[in-house]
């Protein structure tokens, strides 16, 4: 996991009042950590961290379901 | 651009079906939170709904996950193919036939049940009977299955609402309903004019590249949209008859009925909020909307825009102003608007013949739901002739 994924992990944690652990394999959708509106905000945050425009085919429930998937599909370990 | 201040985030703001009323006046475009933008003015709403880069498709929509590829959650040629399936069943000639052969018995049964009744729960007990009867008839579903369809379908409305509720029950009900539709599709006595038979013929005739799964999802969404929106609106219609003390005998005049329906649609559009997603950086009403933003578009606010409607909160049937968009506009505008209006008109016609007035006995003033919005927690009495 690179620094961008860890920054995203912090961003997700900050959405919640209670302290929580966001694992690399935690299903962000199924666990309820990310609502549909927050998913939209998360895509914008990922793009900001990535520093490049995300292509539409990258934005999907499967490619962004876990931090691990986002790291692999978007950040490529950066 | 207006910004919602304080600690309330977009989620909290949108929990209230009347969220648009809390936004500051003087702006049509509002930032609700990170990546969430609201549009309220009538002109801006119409532009947003017609904007080619504000799309319905989003990978995380519960409806797309629940129903699979379907007419609500896609855009462009795919969306047009889905719409083409529905067009023949909603043509003017078909609607006239439904009104002649299908609707009268259902309306008469409902009105007969209402006469002399006082109810605290019009929406759950009565409002669904007419739309479910009509849409089941249009779909070609065995009448014996109508109540079962209602029981299974109503929880699914929460998949299209905000906040979205997706549970084991909704997943289970979708699977069961799709199976039921498949059984009905395979039924050898499927009426040739039914929606299920018509969409099969349309798919073949037009060579539409849609799978069996997509056909089933379209049929199910037609059922959901056609029943729950109309149930919500009939609830609003009855509520307004009571609250405004409408003289029902006046509704024997078709023009008076049409004006009343238009005004209730303006004040209580069943779909109050529509969500779209910015495919790219764009602007609406000269305001920049960054790509990936969720754009919540308020039909309800557009219909009460004071720049178009004088005293917009007043119930004033026959008002001269135009611009109300209760069925939305653009490529995703409701294809069933004419069918719905015919259904509401016949209901008012029959009520005016057999009922003296509707008395509102109790009124909480509360509204429920964003996608199937209706007045809630009120009590009405249907007063029969002397």
């Amino acid at each position: 996991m690179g620094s961008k994924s860890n920054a995203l992990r912090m961003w997700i944690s900050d959405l919640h009042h209670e302290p929580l652990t966001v694992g690399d394999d935690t299903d962000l959708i199924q666990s309820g950590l990310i609502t549909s509106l927050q998913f939209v905000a998360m895509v914008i945050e990922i793009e900001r961290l990535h520093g490049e425009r995300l292509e539409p085919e990258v934005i999907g429930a499967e490619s962004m379901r876990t931090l691990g998937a986002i790291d692999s599909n978007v950040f490529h370990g950066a | 651009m207006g910004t919602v201040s304080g600690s309330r985030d977009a989620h909290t703001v949108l929990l209230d079906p009347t969220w648009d009323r809390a936004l500051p006046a003087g702006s049509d475009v509002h930032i609700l939170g990170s990546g969430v933008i609201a549009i309220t003015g009538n002109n801006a709403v119409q532009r947003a709904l017609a904007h080619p880069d504000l799309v319905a498709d989003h990978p995380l929509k519960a409806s797309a996950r629940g129903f699979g590829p379907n007419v609500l959650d896609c855009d462009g040629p795919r969306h047009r193919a889905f719409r083409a399936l529905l067009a023949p069943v909603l043509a003017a000639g078909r609607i006239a036939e439904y009104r002649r052969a299908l609707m009268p018995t259902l309306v008469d049964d409902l009105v007969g049940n209402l006469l002399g009744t006082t109810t605290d729960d019009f929406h759950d007990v009565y409002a669904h009977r007419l739309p479910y009867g009509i849409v089941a008839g249009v779909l070609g579903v065995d009448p014996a299955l109508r109540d079962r369809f209602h029981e299974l379908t109503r929880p699914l409305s929460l998949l299209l609402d905000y906040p979205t509720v997706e549970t084991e029950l909704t997943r289970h009900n979708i699977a069961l309903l799709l199976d039921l539709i498949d059984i009905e599709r395979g039924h050898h006595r499927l009426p040739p004019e039914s929606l299920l038979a018509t969409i099969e013929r349309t798919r073949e005739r037009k060579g539409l590249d849609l799978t069996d799964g997509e056909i089933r999802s379209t049929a199910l969404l037609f059922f959901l949209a056609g029943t729950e929106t109309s149930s919500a609106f009939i609830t609003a219609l009855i509520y307004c008859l009571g609250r405004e003390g409408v003289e029902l005998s006046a509704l024997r005049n078709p023009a008076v009925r049409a004006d009343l329906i238009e005004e209730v649609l303006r004040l209580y559009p069943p779909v109050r909020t529509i969500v779209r997603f910015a495919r790219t950086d764009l602007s609406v009403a000269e305001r920049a909307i960054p790509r990936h933003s969720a754009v919540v578009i308020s039909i309800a606010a557009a219909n009460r825009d004071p720049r178009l409607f004088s005293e917009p909160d007043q119930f004033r049937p026959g008002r001269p102003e135009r611009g109300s968009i209760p069925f939305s506009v653009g490529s995703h505008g409701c294809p069933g608007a004419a069918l719905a209006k015919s259904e509401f008109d016949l209901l008012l016609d029959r009520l005016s013949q057999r009922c003296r007035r509707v008395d509102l006995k109790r009124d909480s003033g509360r509204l429920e739901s964003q996608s199937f919005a209706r007045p809630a927690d009120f009590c009405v009495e249907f007063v029969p002739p002397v």
Side-chain angles (χ1 to χ4, degrees):
Chain A
M1 278 293 169
S3 59
K4 291 179 179 175
S5 292
N6 285 325
L8 184 62
R9 193 191 316 273
M10 288 296 296
W11 183 87
I12 295 169
S13 299
D14 286 347
L15 293 175
H16 301 269
H17 295 301
E18 303 81 21
L20 53 87
T21 305
V22 187
D24 294 350
D25 297 324
T26 302
D27 188 320
L28 302 174
I29 302 164
Q30 204 72 40
S31 64
L33 283 175
I34 295 285
T35 66
S36 52
L37 283 178
Q38 286 166 342
F39 185 85
V40 170
M42 185 179 79
V43 170
I44 293 170
E45 179 63 11
I46 291 170
E47 198 166 73
R48 191 187 69 76
L49 289 168
H50 188 42
E52 290 177 32
R53 184 179 184 144
L54 294 177
E55 293 306 318
E57 55 270 20
V58 176
I59 305 169
E62 292 315 311
S63 57
M64 295 184 166
R65 189 174 282 279
T66 64
L67 275 176
I70 294 166
D71 191 67
S72 162
N73 292 311
V74 182
F75 297 145
H76 308 298
Chain B
M1 198 180 300
T3 303
V4 176
S5 60
S7 60
R8 297 205 312 156
D9 61 11
H11 170 71
T12 311
V13 170
L14 293 172
L15 285 177
D16 179 0
T18 61
W19 58 265
D20 54 286
R21 297 179 193 169
L23 299 182
S27 179
D28 292 340
V29 182
H30 313 260
I31 299 172
L32 291 191
S34 175
V36 186
I37 289 171
I39 298 188
T40 50
N42 187 288
N43 186 270
V45 163
Q46 297 212 35
R47 285 178 187 216
L49 290 170
H51 201 297
D53 287 321
L54 281 175
V55 296
D57 184 18
H58 191 278
L60 205 69
K61 277 175 92 171
S63 52
R65 286 206 308 275
F67 296 105
N70 69 77
V71 65
L72 288 183
D73 298 315
C74 66
D75 304 279
R78 202 83 186 142
H79 178 246
R80 287 194 287 277
F82 278 120
R83 297 274 294 214
L85 288 180
L86 299 175
V89 235
L90 298 169
R94 282 282 186 97
I95 293 172
E97 183 59 19
Y98 302 144
R99 180 157 177 143
R100 188 192 66 76
L102 175 62
M103 294 185 195
T105 308
L106 295 164
V107 173
D108 287 338
D109 282 353
L110 174 61
V111 173
N113 280 315
L114 289 173
L115 283 180
T117 299
T118 300
T119 176
D120 285 303
D121 201 4
F122 179 80
H123 178 256
D124 283 342
V125 179
Y126 296 102
H128 66 278
R129 296 185 185 179
L130 177 56
Y132 272 84
I134 292 170
V135 177
V138 172
L139 199 61
V141 170
D142 186 334
L145 289 173
R146 282 176 193 169
D147 287 343
R148 181 71 176 134
F149 263 74
H150 171 239
E151 181 190 336
L152 292 171
T153 305
R154 182 149 280 183
L156 302 187
S157 62
L158 295 170
L159 280 174
L160 302 181
D161 216 332
Y162 193 86
T164 303
V165 179
E166 186 181 10
T167 62
E168 277 307 315
L169 176 70
T170 57
R171 286 187 276 274
H172 169 78
N173 286 9
I174 286 175
L176 262 177
L177 281 162
L178 291 175
D179 283 349
L180 278 172
I181 287 171
D182 244 3
I183 292 167
E184 290 296 307
R185 281 176 70 207
H187 203 287
H188 68 284
R189 284 183 302 180
L190 194 61
E193 299 306 305
S194 69
L195 178 133
L196 288 173
T198 304
I199 60 178
E200 296 286 6
R201 278 200 309 276
T202 307
R203 176 168 64 158
E204 282 178 24
R205 190 185 307 145
K206 297 194 173 182
L208 298 173
D209 179 25
L210 295 171
T211 65
D212 281 357
E214 289 170 329
I215 297 280
R216 289 189 311 167
S217 296
T218 300
L220 179 52
L221 273 167
F222 175 83
F223 199 90
L224 177 56
T227 51
E228 288 299 316
T229 47
S230 288
S231 298
F233 182 72
I234 288 170
T235 303
L237 200 55
I238 295 302
Y239 170 80
C240 285
L241 292 180
R243 191 187 65 182
E244 303 298 332
V246 174
E247 177 56 55
L248 293 192
S249 62
L251 297 176
R252 293 172 193 166
N253 180 337
V256 175
R257 292 200 297 275
D259 283 345
L260 185 127
I261 290 167
E262 286 301 327
E263 185 65 346
V264 180
L265 280 168
R266 185 184 70 80
L267 289 168
Y268 295 97
V271 180
R272 294 180 63 83
T273 305
I274 290 173
V275 183
R276 293 282 182 267
F277 303 92
R279 185 158 52 188
T280 184
D281 292 333
L282 54 95
S283 66
V284 171
E286 297 172 9
R287 303 290 186 180
I289 295 179
R291 66 180 178 276
H292 306 315
S293 299
V295 179
V296 286
I297 302 169
S298 178
I299 296 284
N303 282 1
R304 295 187 187 218
D305 188 331
R307 289 164 293 189
L308 255 72
F309 303 101
S310 61
E311 298 184 284
D313 296 333
Q314 295 298 308
F315 178 79
R316 197 182 295 162
R319 58 167 68 231
E321 305 100 333
R322 293 289 173 264
S324 168
I325 49 168
F327 295 102
S328 186
V329 291
S331 60
H332 280 271
C334 174
L339 173 62
K341 282 187 182 180
S342 181
E343 167 184 347
F344 306 147
D345 179 72
L346 191 62
L347 174 60
L348 286 186
D349 185 24
R350 293 294 211 267
L351 262 180
S352 73
Q353 306 287 343
R354 299 177 59 187
C355 186
R356 187 148 55 103
R357 63 174 195 274
V358 177
D359 284 349
L360 186 64
K361 313 291 280 188
R362 183 173 56 78
D363 180 13
S364 70
R366 203 161 61 78
L367 203 65
E368 266 184 11
S369 176
Q370 306 264 11
S371 302
F372 307 95
R374 70 271 173 185
D377 193 17
F378 65 90
C379 176
V380 279
E381 178 185 5
F382 293 84
V383 182
V386 180

